[in-house]
Amino acid sequence: MTRKPTLSVWKFSSCDGCQLQILDCEDELLELTGAYHIAYFLEASSDLVKGPYDLTIVEGSISTPHDAERIHEIRRASKYLIAIGSCATTGGIQALRNFADVDEFVRVVYAHPGHISTLRNSTPIADHVKVDFELQGCPINKAQLLEVVSATLAGRKPDVQPVSVCVECKRAGLPCVMVSKGVGCLGPITHAGCGALCPLYRRGCFGCFGPKEQANTEALAERWRALGHDDPQLLRAFRGPAANAPDFRRQSTFHE
């Protein structure tokens, strides 16, 4: 009898939203379990099997000393490792600490700061171990996830197109909110995957899927200025779920 490849899913510092996207695959999840033996997935089952694993999916950023140790253990036990979501690929919302004094945050928020063990910076998985594929999003796109998982099983390169949200707007027949309404939008520099959800409701893209390849943040910032946006607005725009991504980080810091 042919052994099914094993799949494990791990959580680090995150909201669990990307793991819930896996569970929301519904009918497709049955096909996934037919192709893989889900050996470790705390969000879905208490039946846990130790590695090694053929494929490991990791959600969340590295934000504590324990995280930094555990990710190396998981990497050693995994043939392939995929980082999913903004937290795992850029550091996530919690990476906003990287722009401030984390010791001050701990002092203000917690009654007993001495009990808190945290790193000064929140960092993506790839800053610590080799990652075989990064899937962006806050949360991730279910179809893209299934494509990455099935491609890994088949031994081929995942077909996740490196295009911007603007392409999704055009495919949906949506008018450009910057052109038609003068609304600031990060769509031209943001990776596709959300289905142009915000422009669908006449709102500018918030950059939830992080910067696309070769994002020209400088040109977009100049366009925002032409629409009347000032430095504080530009700073906030680039300090979203993917604030720690190098392209967004560089641009937001420029407007401080």
Side-chain angles (χ1 to χ4, degrees):
M1 183 176 181
T2 304
R3 181 186 72 88
K4 285 185 182 180
T6 51
L7 170 68
S8 67
V9 183
W10 299 80
K11 168 187 165 58
F12 285 81
S13 298
S14 63
C15 71
D16 286 30
C18 291
Q19 289 186 83
L20 291 175
Q21 286 290 83
I22 299 175
L23 297 177
D24 282 346
C25 288
E26 298 176 344
D27 292 342
E28 294 87 349
L29 188 60
L30 295 176
E31 296 180 13
L32 181 62
T33 56
Y36 280 96
H37 170 55
I38 300 180
Y40 188 102
F41 189 3
L42 281 174
E43 192 84 13
S45 173
S46 59
D47 182 20
L48 310 178
V49 178
K50 291 184 178 180
Y53 308 108
D54 293 295
L55 174 61
T56 287
I57 296 173
V58 176
E59 175 197 63
S61 66
I62 304 302
S63 298
T64 69
H66 182 240
D67 287 345
E69 294 176 4
R70 191 161 60 105
I71 189 58
H72 285 278
E73 296 173 1
I74 293 170
R75 175 69 267 193
R76 286 192 294 269
S78 307
K79 183 177 180 181
Y80 296 105
L81 188 147
I82 299 170
I84 64 168
S86 292
C87 295
T89 59
T90 70
I93 285 291
Q94 54 270 28
L96 291 175
R97 74 171 73 176
N98 302 359
F99 301 92
D101 183 353
V102 70
D103 292 331
E104 178 66 8
F105 284 163
V106 171
R107 185 189 66 79
V108 171
V109 173
Y110 297 98
H112 300 285
H115 296 309
I116 304 302
S117 176
T118 187
L119 298 173
R120 183 164 298 278
N121 291 326
S122 174
T123 48
I125 302 300
D127 279 13
H128 300 265
V129 297
K130 177 189 174 185
V131 171
D132 295 294
F133 195 85
E134 290 186 325
L135 188 61
Q136 296 165 244
C138 186
I140 55 168
N141 176 293
K142 294 186 293 185
Q144 288 183 348
L145 172 67
L146 291 168
E147 164 59 20
V148 172
V149 171
S150 62
T152 303
L153 181 64
R156 61 176 175 80
K157 182 180 178 180
D159 183 19
V160 178
Q161 297 181 357
V163 299
S164 71
V165 172
C166 290
V167 173
E168 294 186 307
C169 278
K170 298 300 181 290
R171 287 172 176 167
L174 301 176
C176 175
V177 294
M178 284 207 295
V179 173
S180 64
K181 292 184 172 296
V183 173
C185 179
L186 294 180
I189 60 170
T190 297
H191 202 289
C194 65
L197 180 61
C198 291
L200 178 63
Y201 292 95
R202 305 296 187 265
R203 301 184 67 180
C205 169
F206 286 89
C208 298
F209 273 64
K212 68 176 295 294
E213 291 78 356
Q214 300 177 330
N216 192 343
T217 58
E218 290 81 6
L220 185 65
E222 286 303 313
R223 178 58 183 158
W224 276 49
R225 284 191 180 281
L227 293 173
H229 297 279
D230 56 16
D231 279 334
Q233 290 172 308
L234 283 161
L235 173 63
R236 289 194 296 272
F238 287 100
R239 291 270 170 95
N244 196 51
D247 288 330
F248 283 10
R249 183 185 181 93
R250 183 180 65 254
Q251 194 58 225
S252 71
T253 302
F254 179 79
H255 296 288
E256 280 187 305

